[in-house]
Structure formats: C-alpha cells, structure tokens
C-alpha cells in the first residue's frame, strides 16, 4: 500500500473522529473501509482501516516512501486542503521519527509521507532527556502508534561537535555542553577504534542510534510496550544517496 492510498482510505476513518485522536477514531470509524456499513462501535477493528496494522507494515511503508525520495520521484502526498480539514478532529499517526534538527533530514521528506502520517521529535543529534522521552512516548502510549524510528544521519554536526570537544578535552565553556554530554556514551563506545576522524564520527553516529534505541526501551514510557505491539528501530540516513538504512 502506498502513502497515497493510505491517505485515501483514512479519509472515511477520520470523518467524525473526536478530539481525542485514535481512541475516538476507533469508536467513530464505521465507514466502508472499516468493515462495512454494518460495523458498530462494538465491532470496530482494533486498528483503524488504512493504517499499518503493526510495526513491520509501518516500516515497509517508510521504506516505500524513502525509495521514492531517494530515486527523485517523491509524491509529496497529503497536502490536500480536504485532508487537512478531515484531520481537524483526530489523528492516527502510524510512526514516530525521533531524529536530528538538521535541516537536510526532515522526516516527512525523507520518507515521502503526508499530513497526519508521522509524529516527529527532533533534537540535535537526537539527544534526549526525560522531557524528550515523554514526547517520543506520546504516540505509542496515547495513540497506539506502533513504530518508533531513531534516525541518525551522515555528517551530523552535533555528533561532530561532541567528538571534537570531548576528544580535545574542551568541555569547559562548551556552549552546547548538555548535547555534548548526552553524546558522550556514543563517543566512549567508539573511542580508540580508528585514527581516522571521519570514520570515528560516522561510527559515533551509528553508536548513538544504538544507544538511544537501547535507552528508550528501558524507560517507563516504553518498557511495557516494546515487544507488545510497539517496536523501536534504529536507522541511518545518507545525505549523499538519500537512502535510509535500518541498523
Ligand atoms: Zn545531526
């Protein structure tokens, strides 16, 4: 299923959905895509029609969108004013992308998705603290969003800064000290593995993704959910090719 077809099937779902998002949408959906005209509130499907039923299907949809983006043939779906209006009273995002603030790594572009498809949380180097974890955890906990993608990327400025600062012992007076400290575990994971600075930074970017996936899974927001309908995956975006690689 393409993003385009997903959006078209979602229209019936979201018509009339209440202000509480998916929970309201679940009880409100009774359109032709959700089990026929006879569907009642008690027989509503566990997952809204048109939305990926699980994390694997959500990942497949992201892969399809990224292939369009990387091949230079994006659809840029979901920009219709009619869809915007239909989303006023509810949302059912099927993936959360936790990535970097870098202007070249906008998830909606990278995965060629439209309005209402993705939640995005972005910080420098996808660093996190308890406040950020609550934001990332909102989708799975409040909206049954099945997939969380931690997205690192090539030539990440935040990781480069942290590697240079820690490597030189210049932490005192660092304007971005909290970001640097958040990236220290990734630095320590790859420290001494190579003398090549570019290689070290690339390894650190991937190490930070792995560390973030592991740490998120241990939080109260995610620990009860991972393996029970929610999946957290790590991925890496190449600025050169436009392709996302699952780590
Ligand atoms: Zn970055």
């Amino acid at each position: 299923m393409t993003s385009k077809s997903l959006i078209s099937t979602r229209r019936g779902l979201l018509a009339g959905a209440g202000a509480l998002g998916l929970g309201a949408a679940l009880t409100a959906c009774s359109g032709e895509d959700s089990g026929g005209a006879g569907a009642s509130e008690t027989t509503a499907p566990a997952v809204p029609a048109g939305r990926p039923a699980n994390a694997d299907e959500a990942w497949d949809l992201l892969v399809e969108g990224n292939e369009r983006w990387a091949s230079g043939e994006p659809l840029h779906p979901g920009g219709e004013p009619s869809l915007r209006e239909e989303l006023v009273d509810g949302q059912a995002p099927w993936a959360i992308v936790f990535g970097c603030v870098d202007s070249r790594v906008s998830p909606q572009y990278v995965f060629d998705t439209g309005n209402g498809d993705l939640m995005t949380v972005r910080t420098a180097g996808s660093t996190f603290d308890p406040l950020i974890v609550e934001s990332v955890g909102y989708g799975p906990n409040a909206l049954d969003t099945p997939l969380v993608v931690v997205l690192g990327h090539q030539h990440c400025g935040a990781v480069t800064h942290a590697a240079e600062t820690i490597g030189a012992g210049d932490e005192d007076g660092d304007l971005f000290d909290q970001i640097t400290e958040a990236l220290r575990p990734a630095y320590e994971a790859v420290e001494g593995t190579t003398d090549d600075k570019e290689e070290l930074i690339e390894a650190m970017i991937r190490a930070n993704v792995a560390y973030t996936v592991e740490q998120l899974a241990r939080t109260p927001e995610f620990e009860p959910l991972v393996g029970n309908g929610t999946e957290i995956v790590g991925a890496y975006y190449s600025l050169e090719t436009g392709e996302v690689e699952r780590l």
Side-chain angles (χ1 to χ4, degrees), residues 153-155 159 163 183 185-194 196-211 236 247:
H153 71 96
Q154 185 181 26
H155 298 167
V159 172
L183 290 165
Y187 178 84
E188 292 177 346
V190 301
E191 185 180 14
T193 56
T194 174
D196 184 277
K197 181 186 164 189
E198 288 298 317
E199 279 184 17
L200 185 79
I201 289 169
E202 285 301 302
M204 186 173 161
I205 291 165
R206 292 164 187 266
N208 184 53
V209 170
Y211 172 77
Y236 175 91
L247 300 180

PDB file of all heavy atoms in Angstrom, residues 153-155 159 163 183 185-194 196-211 236 247:
ATOM      1  N   HIS A 153      22.100  10.441  11.100  1.00  0.00           N
ATOM      2  CA  HIS A 153      22.381  10.806   9.706  1.00  0.00           C
ATOM      3  C   HIS A 153      23.847  11.147   9.480  1.00  0.00           C
ATOM      4  O   HIS A 153      24.564  11.554  10.400  1.00  0.00           O
ATOM      5  CB  HIS A 153      21.502  11.991   9.288  1.00  0.00           C
ATOM      6  CG  HIS A 153      21.884  13.283   9.940  1.00  0.00           C
ATOM      7  ND1 HIS A 153      22.718  14.209   9.330  1.00  0.00           N
ATOM      8  CD2 HIS A 153      21.568  13.813  11.139  1.00  0.00           C
ATOM      9  CE1 HIS A 153      22.888  15.246  10.146  1.00  0.00           C
ATOM     10  NE2 HIS A 153      22.203  15.034  11.245  1.00  0.00           N
ATOM     11  N   GLN A 154      24.241  10.991   8.260  1.00  0.00           N
ATOM     12  CA  GLN A 154      25.597  11.300   7.802  1.00  0.00           C
ATOM     13  C   GLN A 154      25.938  12.772   8.086  1.00  0.00           C
ATOM     14  O   GLN A 154      25.079  13.642   8.007  1.00  0.00           O
ATOM     15  CB  GLN A 154      25.661  11.039   6.293  1.00  0.00           C
ATOM     16  CG  GLN A 154      27.031  11.184   5.669  1.00  0.00           C
ATOM     17  CD  GLN A 154      26.972  10.938   4.169  1.00  0.00           C
ATOM     18  OE1 GLN A 154      25.931  11.141   3.544  1.00  0.00           O
ATOM     19  NE2 GLN A 154      28.083  10.498   3.606  1.00  0.00           N
ATOM     20  N   HIS A 155      27.193  13.025   8.425  1.00  0.00           N
ATOM     21  CA  HIS A 155      27.702  14.384   8.623  1.00  0.00           C
ATOM     22  C   HIS A 155      26.910  15.157   9.676  1.00  0.00           C
ATOM     23  O   HIS A 155      26.573  16.335   9.478  1.00  0.00           O
ATOM     24  CB  HIS A 155      27.700  15.181   7.308  1.00  0.00           C
ATOM     25  CG  HIS A 155      28.575  14.593   6.249  1.00  0.00           C
ATOM     26  ND1 HIS A 155      28.516  15.000   4.924  1.00  0.00           N
ATOM     27  CD2 HIS A 155      29.515  13.625   6.299  1.00  0.00           C
ATOM     28  CE1 HIS A 155      29.393  14.303   4.214  1.00  0.00           C
ATOM     29  NE2 HIS A 155      30.019  13.461   5.031  1.00  0.00           N
ATOM     30  N   VAL A 159      27.017  15.563  16.472  1.00  0.00           N
ATOM     31  CA  VAL A 159      27.945  14.480  16.821  1.00  0.00           C
ATOM     32  C   VAL A 159      29.379  14.913  16.547  1.00  0.00           C
ATOM     33  O   VAL A 159      30.289  14.634  17.345  1.00  0.00           O
ATOM     34  CB  VAL A 159      27.593  13.193  16.043  1.00  0.00           C
ATOM     35  CG1 VAL A 159      28.660  12.129  16.239  1.00  0.00           C
ATOM     36  CG2 VAL A 159      26.226  12.665  16.489  1.00  0.00           C
ATOM     37  N   ALA A 163      32.280  15.028  19.341  1.00  0.00           N
ATOM     38  CA  ALA A 163      33.515  14.246  19.159  1.00  0.00           C
ATOM     39  C   ALA A 163      34.740  15.145  19.272  1.00  0.00           C
ATOM     40  O   ALA A 163      35.734  14.790  19.933  1.00  0.00           O
ATOM     41  CB  ALA A 163      33.489  13.540  17.806  1.00  0.00           C
ATOM     42  N   LEU A 183      25.924  12.953  24.267  1.00  0.00           N
ATOM     43  CA  LEU A 183      26.568  12.151  23.225  1.00  0.00           C
ATOM     44  C   LEU A 183      27.831  11.444  23.720  1.00  0.00           C
ATOM     45  O   LEU A 183      28.458  10.689  22.971  1.00  0.00           O
ATOM     46  CB  LEU A 183      26.899  13.044  22.016  1.00  0.00           C
ATOM     47  CG  LEU A 183      25.664  13.508  21.226  1.00  0.00           C
ATOM     48  CD1 LEU A 183      26.022  14.661  20.293  1.00  0.00           C
ATOM     49  CD2 LEU A 183      25.064  12.350  20.427  1.00  0.00           C
ATOM     50  N   PRO A 185      28.262   8.873  25.804  1.00  0.00           N
ATOM     51  CA  PRO A 185      28.259   7.401  25.730  1.00  0.00           C
ATOM     52  C   PRO A 185      28.597   6.888  24.322  1.00  0.00           C
ATOM     53  O   PRO A 185      29.278   5.864  24.182  1.00  0.00           O
ATOM     54  CB  PRO A 185      26.827   7.027  26.136  1.00  0.00           C
ATOM     55  CG  PRO A 185      26.389   8.163  27.003  1.00  0.00           C
ATOM     56  CD  PRO A 185      26.996   9.391  26.379  1.00  0.00           C
ATOM     57  N   ALA A 186      28.106   7.574  23.306  1.00  0.00           N
ATOM     58  CA  ALA A 186      28.415   7.153  21.930  1.00  0.00           C
ATOM     59  C   ALA A 186      29.894   7.363  21.629  1.00  0.00           C
ATOM     60  O   ALA A 186      30.540   6.536  20.974  1.00  0.00           O
ATOM     61  CB  ALA A 186      27.552   7.930  20.941  1.00  0.00           C
ATOM     62  N   TYR A 187      30.448   8.465  22.122  1.00  0.00           N
ATOM     63  CA  TYR A 187      31.880   8.723  21.917  1.00  0.00           C
ATOM     64  C   TYR A 187      32.715   7.627  22.586  1.00  0.00           C
ATOM     65  O   TYR A 187      33.654   7.077  21.981  1.00  0.00           O
ATOM     66  CB  TYR A 187      32.253  10.093  22.485  1.00  0.00           C
ATOM     67  CG  TYR A 187      33.722  10.410  22.349  1.00  0.00           C
ATOM     68  CD1 TYR A 187      34.235  10.950  21.167  1.00  0.00           C
ATOM     69  CD2 TYR A 187      34.613  10.148  23.399  1.00  0.00           C
ATOM     70  CE1 TYR A 187      35.593  11.214  21.027  1.00  0.00           C
ATOM     71  CE2 TYR A 187      35.968  10.411  23.269  1.00  0.00           C
ATOM     72  CZ  TYR A 187      36.448  10.952  22.086  1.00  0.00           C
ATOM     73  OH  TYR A 187      37.790  11.204  21.945  1.00  0.00           O
ATOM     74  N   GLU A 188      32.345   7.318  23.808  1.00  0.00           N
ATOM     75  CA  GLU A 188      33.118   6.316  24.550  1.00  0.00           C
ATOM     76  C   GLU A 188      32.978   4.927  23.931  1.00  0.00           C
ATOM     77  O   GLU A 188      33.882   4.092  24.049  1.00  0.00           O
ATOM     78  CB  GLU A 188      32.669   6.317  26.019  1.00  0.00           C
ATOM     79  CG  GLU A 188      33.079   7.617  26.732  1.00  0.00           C
ATOM     80  CD  GLU A 188      32.591   7.694  28.173  1.00  0.00           C
ATOM     81  OE1 GLU A 188      31.710   6.885  28.545  1.00  0.00           O
ATOM     82  OE2 GLU A 188      33.085   8.578  28.914  1.00  0.00           O
ATOM     83  N   ALA A 189      31.864   4.686  23.255  1.00  0.00           N
ATOM     84  CA  ALA A 189      31.658   3.379  22.624  1.00  0.00           C
ATOM     85  C   ALA A 189      32.602   3.158  21.444  1.00  0.00           C
ATOM     86  O   ALA A 189      32.920   2.013  21.105  1.00  0.00           O
ATOM     87  CB  ALA A 189      30.209   3.242  22.158  1.00  0.00           C
ATOM     88  N   VAL A 190      33.049   4.252  20.806  1.00  0.00           N
ATOM     89  CA  VAL A 190      33.873   4.098  19.598  1.00  0.00           C
ATOM     90  C   VAL A 190      35.282   4.661  19.778  1.00  0.00           C
ATOM     91  O   VAL A 190      36.119   4.529  18.874  1.00  0.00           O
ATOM     92  CB  VAL A 190      33.202   4.791  18.385  1.00  0.00           C
ATOM     93  CG1 VAL A 190      31.814   4.189  18.138  1.00  0.00           C
ATOM     94  CG2 VAL A 190      33.095   6.309  18.596  1.00  0.00           C
ATOM     95  N   GLU A 191      35.526   5.280  20.926  1.00  0.00           N
ATOM     96  CA  GLU A 191      36.830   5.909  21.182  1.00  0.00           C
ATOM     97  C   GLU A 191      37.964   4.899  20.972  1.00  0.00           C
ATOM     98  O   GLU A 191      37.921   3.774  21.486  1.00  0.00           O
ATOM     99  CB  GLU A 191      36.861   6.432  22.617  1.00  0.00           C
ATOM    100  CG  GLU A 191      38.106   7.210  22.984  1.00  0.00           C
ATOM    101  CD  GLU A 191      38.052   7.694  24.433  1.00  0.00           C
ATOM    102  OE1 GLU A 191      37.194   7.192  25.187  1.00  0.00           O
ATOM    103  OE2 GLU A 191      38.863   8.575  24.788  1.00  0.00           O
ATOM    104  N   GLY A 192      38.978   5.301  20.201  1.00  0.00           N
ATOM    105  CA  GLY A 192      40.152   4.459  20.001  1.00  0.00           C
ATOM    106  C   GLY A 192      40.008   3.376  18.948  1.00  0.00           C
ATOM    107  O   GLY A 192      40.940   2.609  18.705  1.00  0.00           O
ATOM    108  N   THR A 193      38.835   3.316  18.291  1.00  0.00           N
ATOM    109  CA  THR A 193      38.637   2.256  17.293  1.00  0.00           C
ATOM    110  C   THR A 193      39.277   2.599  15.958  1.00  0.00           C
ATOM    111  O   THR A 193      39.491   1.713  15.128  1.00  0.00           O
ATOM    112  CB  THR A 193      37.132   1.977  17.079  1.00  0.00           C
ATOM    113  OG1 THR A 193      36.484   3.215  16.706  1.00  0.00           O
ATOM    114  CG2 THR A 193      36.498   1.442  18.357  1.00  0.00           C
ATOM    115  N   THR A 194      39.572   3.865  15.721  1.00  0.00           N
ATOM    116  CA  THR A 194      40.201   4.275  14.467  1.00  0.00           C
ATOM    117  C   THR A 194      40.930   5.601  14.673  1.00  0.00           C
ATOM    118  O   THR A 194      40.544   6.397  15.536  1.00  0.00           O
ATOM    119  CB  THR A 194      39.154   4.432  13.338  1.00  0.00           C
ATOM    120  OG1 THR A 194      39.803   4.968  12.170  1.00  0.00           O
ATOM    121  CG2 THR A 194      38.035   5.375  13.747  1.00  0.00           C
ATOM    122  N   ASP A 196      41.177   7.630  12.095  1.00  0.00           N
ATOM    123  CA  ASP A 196      40.580   8.499  11.083  1.00  0.00           C
ATOM    124  C   ASP A 196      39.379   9.238  11.679  1.00  0.00           C
ATOM    125  O   ASP A 196      38.413   8.614  12.123  1.00  0.00           O
ATOM    126  CB  ASP A 196      40.125   7.668   9.871  1.00  0.00           C
ATOM    127  CG  ASP A 196      39.596   8.544   8.750  1.00  0.00           C
ATOM    128  OD1 ASP A 196      38.402   8.915   8.818  1.00  0.00           O
ATOM    129  OD2 ASP A 196      40.379   8.856   7.839  1.00  0.00           O
ATOM    130  N   LYS A 197      39.453  10.552  11.688  1.00  0.00           N
ATOM    131  CA  LYS A 197      38.415  11.347  12.346  1.00  0.00           C
ATOM    132  C   LYS A 197      37.042  11.143  11.696  1.00  0.00           C
ATOM    133  O   LYS A 197      36.037  11.005  12.390  1.00  0.00           O
ATOM    134  CB  LYS A 197      38.807  12.827  12.295  1.00  0.00           C
ATOM    135  CG  LYS A 197      37.813  13.743  12.977  1.00  0.00           C
ATOM    136  CD  LYS A 197      38.169  15.210  12.775  1.00  0.00           C
ATOM    137  CE  LYS A 197      36.988  16.104  13.103  1.00  0.00           C
ATOM    138  NZ  LYS A 197      37.226  17.507  12.723  1.00  0.00           N
ATOM    139  N   GLU A 198      36.986  11.130  10.383  1.00  0.00           N
ATOM    140  CA  GLU A 198      35.699  10.947   9.696  1.00  0.00           C
ATOM    141  C   GLU A 198      35.096   9.582  10.033  1.00  0.00           C
ATOM    142  O   GLU A 198      33.895   9.475  10.273  1.00  0.00           O
ATOM    143  CB  GLU A 198      35.879  11.084   8.179  1.00  0.00           C
ATOM    144  CG  GLU A 198      36.143  12.512   7.716  1.00  0.00           C
ATOM    145  CD  GLU A 198      34.989  13.453   8.046  1.00  0.00           C
ATOM    146  OE1 GLU A 198      33.817  13.049   7.840  1.00  0.00           O
ATOM    147  OE2 GLU A 198      35.247  14.574   8.519  1.00  0.00           O
ATOM    148  N   GLU A 199      35.925   8.586  10.047  1.00  0.00           N
ATOM    149  CA  GLU A 199      35.445   7.242  10.383  1.00  0.00           C
ATOM    150  C   GLU A 199      34.932   7.193  11.815  1.00  0.00           C
ATOM    151  O   GLU A 199      33.907   6.557  12.108  1.00  0.00           O
ATOM    152  CB  GLU A 199      36.573   6.216  10.223  1.00  0.00           C
ATOM    153  CG  GLU A 199      36.807   5.764   8.795  1.00  0.00           C
ATOM    154  CD  GLU A 199      37.873   4.673   8.715  1.00  0.00           C
ATOM    155  OE1 GLU A 199      38.189   4.047   9.759  1.00  0.00           O
ATOM    156  OE2 GLU A 199      38.392   4.474   7.615  1.00  0.00           O
ATOM    157  N   LEU A 200      35.643   7.862  12.694  1.00  0.00           N
ATOM    158  CA  LEU A 200      35.237   7.872  14.101  1.00  0.00           C
ATOM    159  C   LEU A 200      33.877   8.532  14.260  1.00  0.00           C
ATOM    160  O   LEU A 200      32.996   8.030  14.991  1.00  0.00           O
ATOM    161  CB  LEU A 200      36.278   8.614  14.949  1.00  0.00           C
ATOM    162  CG  LEU A 200      36.007   8.564  16.455  1.00  0.00           C
ATOM    163  CD1 LEU A 200      36.439   7.216  17.027  1.00  0.00           C
ATOM    164  CD2 LEU A 200      36.715   9.696  17.199  1.00  0.00           C
ATOM    165  N   ILE A 201      33.668   9.647  13.578  1.00  0.00           N
ATOM    166  CA  ILE A 201      32.393  10.362  13.691  1.00  0.00           C
ATOM    167  C   ILE A 201      31.252   9.529  13.108  1.00  0.00           C
ATOM    168  O   ILE A 201      30.161   9.442  13.694  1.00  0.00           O
ATOM    169  CB  ILE A 201      32.504  11.743  13.010  1.00  0.00           C
ATOM    170  CG1 ILE A 201      33.412  12.648  13.854  1.00  0.00           C
ATOM    171  CG2 ILE A 201      31.137  12.373  12.810  1.00  0.00           C
ATOM    172  CD1 ILE A 201      33.819  13.937  13.180  1.00  0.00           C
ATOM    173  N   GLU A 202      31.486   8.898  11.978  1.00  0.00           N
ATOM    174  CA  GLU A 202      30.438   8.051  11.389  1.00  0.00           C
ATOM    175  C   GLU A 202      30.098   6.883  12.327  1.00  0.00           C
ATOM    176  O   GLU A 202      28.924   6.540  12.501  1.00  0.00           O
ATOM    177  CB  GLU A 202      30.882   7.537  10.022  1.00  0.00           C
ATOM    178  CG  GLU A 202      30.831   8.589   8.930  1.00  0.00           C
ATOM    179  CD  GLU A 202      29.430   9.151   8.738  1.00  0.00           C
ATOM    180  OE1 GLU A 202      28.497   8.375   8.463  1.00  0.00           O
ATOM    181  OE2 GLU A 202      29.260  10.376   8.895  1.00  0.00           O
ATOM    182  N   ALA A 203      31.117   6.291  12.918  1.00  0.00           N
ATOM    183  CA  ALA A 203      30.869   5.200  13.869  1.00  0.00           C
ATOM    184  C   ALA A 203      30.112   5.704  15.093  1.00  0.00           C
ATOM    185  O   ALA A 203      29.236   5.019  15.635  1.00  0.00           O
ATOM    186  CB  ALA A 203      32.194   4.565  14.286  1.00  0.00           C
ATOM    187  N   MET A 204      30.442   6.919  15.504  1.00  0.00           N
ATOM    188  CA  MET A 204      29.780   7.505  16.673  1.00  0.00           C
ATOM    189  C   MET A 204      28.303   7.794  16.378  1.00  0.00           C
ATOM    190  O   MET A 204      27.443   7.616  17.253  1.00  0.00           O
ATOM    191  CB  MET A 204      30.522   8.787  17.071  1.00  0.00           C
ATOM    192  CG  MET A 204      30.035   9.428  18.342  1.00  0.00           C
ATOM    193  SD  MET A 204      31.128  10.810  18.786  1.00  0.00           S
ATOM    194  CE  MET A 204      30.048  11.711  19.895  1.00  0.00           C
ATOM    195  N   ILE A 205      28.003   8.225  15.170  1.00  0.00           N
ATOM    196  CA  ILE A 205      26.606   8.471  14.782  1.00  0.00           C
ATOM    197  C   ILE A 205      25.793   7.182  14.916  1.00  0.00           C
ATOM    198  O   ILE A 205      24.698   7.163  15.491  1.00  0.00           O
ATOM    199  CB  ILE A 205      26.538   9.010  13.336  1.00  0.00           C
ATOM    200  CG1 ILE A 205      27.110  10.427  13.274  1.00  0.00           C
ATOM    201  CG2 ILE A 205      25.112   8.971  12.797  1.00  0.00           C
ATOM    202  CD1 ILE A 205      27.431  10.912  11.878  1.00  0.00           C
ATOM    203  N   ARG A 206      26.352   6.095  14.416  1.00  0.00           N
ATOM    204  CA  ARG A 206      25.649   4.808  14.491  1.00  0.00           C
ATOM    205  C   ARG A 206      25.579   4.298  15.932  1.00  0.00           C
ATOM    206  O   ARG A 206      24.556   3.735  16.357  1.00  0.00           O
ATOM    207  CB  ARG A 206      26.344   3.788  13.584  1.00  0.00           C
ATOM    208  CG  ARG A 206      26.195   4.134  12.109  1.00  0.00           C
ATOM    209  CD  ARG A 206      27.179   3.389  11.217  1.00  0.00           C
ATOM    210  NE  ARG A 206      27.108   3.878   9.854  1.00  0.00           N
ATOM    211  CZ  ARG A 206      26.366   3.337   8.892  1.00  0.00           C
ATOM    212  NH1 ARG A 206      25.658   2.258   9.156  1.00  0.00           N
ATOM    213  NH2 ARG A 206      26.327   3.850   7.683  1.00  0.00           N
ATOM    214  N   ALA A 207      26.641   4.511  16.679  1.00  0.00           N
ATOM    215  CA  ALA A 207      26.642   4.091  18.085  1.00  0.00           C
ATOM    216  C   ALA A 207      25.595   4.860  18.877  1.00  0.00           C
ATOM    217  O   ALA A 207      24.947   4.317  19.779  1.00  0.00           O
ATOM    218  CB  ALA A 207      28.032   4.299  18.692  1.00  0.00           C
ATOM    219  N   ASN A 208      25.422   6.127  18.531  1.00  0.00           N
ATOM    220  CA  ASN A 208      24.429   6.932  19.242  1.00  0.00           C
ATOM    221  C   ASN A 208      23.008   6.452  18.949  1.00  0.00           C
ATOM    222  O   ASN A 208      22.151   6.445  19.829  1.00  0.00           O
ATOM    223  CB  ASN A 208      24.566   8.412  18.860  1.00  0.00           C
ATOM    224  CG  ASN A 208      23.630   9.287  19.649  1.00  0.00           C
ATOM    225  OD1 ASN A 208      23.603   9.243  20.879  1.00  0.00           O
ATOM    226  ND2 ASN A 208      22.818  10.072  18.952  1.00  0.00           N
ATOM    227  N   VAL A 209      22.762   6.024  17.727  1.00  0.00           N
ATOM    228  CA  VAL A 209      21.448   5.473  17.394  1.00  0.00           C
ATOM    229  C   VAL A 209      21.195   4.209  18.224  1.00  0.00           C
ATOM    230  O   VAL A 209      20.134   4.059  18.831  1.00  0.00           O
ATOM    231  CB  VAL A 209      21.352   5.158  15.885  1.00  0.00           C
ATOM    232  CG1 VAL A 209      20.088   4.349  15.583  1.00  0.00           C
ATOM    233  CG2 VAL A 209      21.360   6.447  15.064  1.00  0.00           C
ATOM    234  N   ALA A 210      22.187   3.327  18.249  1.00  0.00           N
ATOM    235  CA  ALA A 210      22.025   2.078  19.003  1.00  0.00           C
ATOM    236  C   ALA A 210      21.814   2.358  20.491  1.00  0.00           C
ATOM    237  O   ALA A 210      20.952   1.737  21.138  1.00  0.00           O
ATOM    238  CB  ALA A 210      23.258   1.189  18.799  1.00  0.00           C
ATOM    239  N   TYR A 211      22.585   3.291  21.011  1.00  0.00           N
ATOM    240  CA  TYR A 211      22.460   3.658  22.426  1.00  0.00           C
ATOM    241  C   TYR A 211      21.069   4.225  22.715  1.00  0.00           C
ATOM    242  O   TYR A 211      20.440   3.882  23.733  1.00  0.00           O
ATOM    243  CB  TYR A 211      23.541   4.693  22.776  1.00  0.00           C
ATOM    244  CG  TYR A 211      23.415   5.294  24.150  1.00  0.00           C
ATOM    245  CD1 TYR A 211      23.812   4.593  25.284  1.00  0.00           C
ATOM    246  CD2 TYR A 211      22.901   6.590  24.309  1.00  0.00           C
ATOM    247  CE1 TYR A 211      23.700   5.165  26.549  1.00  0.00           C
ATOM    248  CE2 TYR A 211      22.788   7.162  25.573  1.00  0.00           C
ATOM    249  CZ  TYR A 211      23.179   6.447  26.689  1.00  0.00           C
ATOM    250  OH  TYR A 211      23.063   7.001  27.930  1.00  0.00           O
ATOM    251  N   TYR A 236      19.760   4.907   9.728  1.00  0.00           N
ATOM    252  CA  TYR A 236      20.806   5.861   9.353  1.00  0.00           C
ATOM    253  C   TYR A 236      20.466   6.428   7.984  1.00  0.00           C
ATOM    254  O   TYR A 236      20.169   5.687   7.032  1.00  0.00           O
ATOM    255  CB  TYR A 236      22.151   5.141   9.301  1.00  0.00           C
ATOM    256  CG  TYR A 236      23.310   5.979   8.804  1.00  0.00           C
ATOM    257  CD1 TYR A 236      24.098   6.693   9.694  1.00  0.00           C
ATOM    258  CD2 TYR A 236      23.622   6.032   7.445  1.00  0.00           C
ATOM    259  CE1 TYR A 236      25.167   7.456   9.240  1.00  0.00           C
ATOM    260  CE2 TYR A 236      24.693   6.784   6.985  1.00  0.00           C
ATOM    261  CZ  TYR A 236      25.464   7.498   7.879  1.00  0.00           C
ATOM    262  OH  TYR A 236      26.514   8.243   7.422  1.00  0.00           O
ATOM    263  N   LEU A 247      19.449  -0.132  10.927  1.00  0.00           N
ATOM    264  CA  LEU A 247      20.650  -0.592  11.626  1.00  0.00           C
ATOM    265  C   LEU A 247      20.334  -1.793  12.511  1.00  0.00           C
ATOM    266  O   LEU A 247      19.209  -1.998  12.915  1.00  0.00           O
ATOM    267  CB  LEU A 247      21.223   0.545  12.481  1.00  0.00           C
ATOM    268  CG  LEU A 247      21.645   1.798  11.718  1.00  0.00           C
ATOM    269  CD1 LEU A 247      22.186   2.846  12.697  1.00  0.00           C
ATOM    270  CD2 LEU A 247      22.705   1.487  10.665  1.00  0.00           C
TER     271      LEU A 247
END
